């Protein structure tokens, strides 16, 4: 795996939390399918919380935003809370700011903080 490839790891806890760790670039070139699949499965798992750890996400574009917005809608529909955890890279945070989608998501500064949501 090269540094800019997308890498997704999923961990599930006994108390109904799905933790999805994302590393690398999430864009049209890397393809979001690994993250989309993980988020879709998490929303349908019957758990209480999904935490997407974006702290090691180095780059994200509209492809990432589209995947996350769809995941948020799917989680809302399933009654599962979705929290995006950081700290976010400056460029990743800027994507949410310039697109006006900061309010569409719940953010936490760290994974530990997200787990307390």
């Amino acid at each position: 795996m090269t540094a800019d490839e997308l890498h997704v790891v999923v961990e599930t806890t006994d108390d109904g939390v799905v933790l999805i760790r994302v590393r690398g670039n999430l864009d049209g070139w890397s393809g979001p399918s690994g993250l989309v699949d993980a988020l879709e499965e998490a929303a349908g798992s019957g758990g209480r919380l999904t935490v997407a750890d974006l702290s090691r996400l180095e780059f994200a574009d509209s492809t990432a935003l589209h995947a996350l917005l769809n995941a948020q809608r799917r989680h809302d529909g399933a009654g599962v809370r979705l929290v995006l955890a950081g700290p976010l890279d400056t460029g990743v945070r800027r994507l949410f700011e310039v697109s006006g989608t900061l309010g569409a998501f719940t953010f936490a500064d760290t994974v530990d903080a997200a787990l307390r949501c």
Side-chain angles (χ1 to χ4, degrees), residues 12-32:
T12 304
T13 67
D14 292 336
D15 63 343
V17 176
V18 177
L19 175 59
I20 302 171
R21 297 186 187 272
V22 184
R23 180 173 37 130
N25 291 343
L26 183 53
D27 56 25
W29 291 103
S30 62

Side-chain angles (χ1 to χ4, degrees), residues 37-98:
D37 292 347
L39 288 165
E40 184 72 19
E41 188 172 321
S45 72
R48 65 176 182 84
L49 173 67
T50 300
V51 176
D53 176 5
L54 306 181
S55 64
R56 296 186 65 195
L57 187 61
E58 298 167 8
F59 176 80
D61 68 5
S62 61
T63 303
L65 187 59
H66 181 73
L68 291 168
L69 285 167
N70 283 340
Q72 183 63 62
R73 281 191 286 274
R74 175 75 168 99
H75 276 74
D76 286 346
V80 179
R81 188 172 174 115
L82 173 63
V83 178
L84 307 183
L88 299 179
D89 178 271
T90 304
V92 174
R93 176 123 184 124
R94 184 91 176 116
L95 174 67
F96 294 107
E97 292 171 350
V98 300

Side-chain angles (χ1 to χ4, degrees), residues 96 100-107:
F96 294 107
T101 58
L102 277 173
F105 300 99
T106 300
F107 291 93

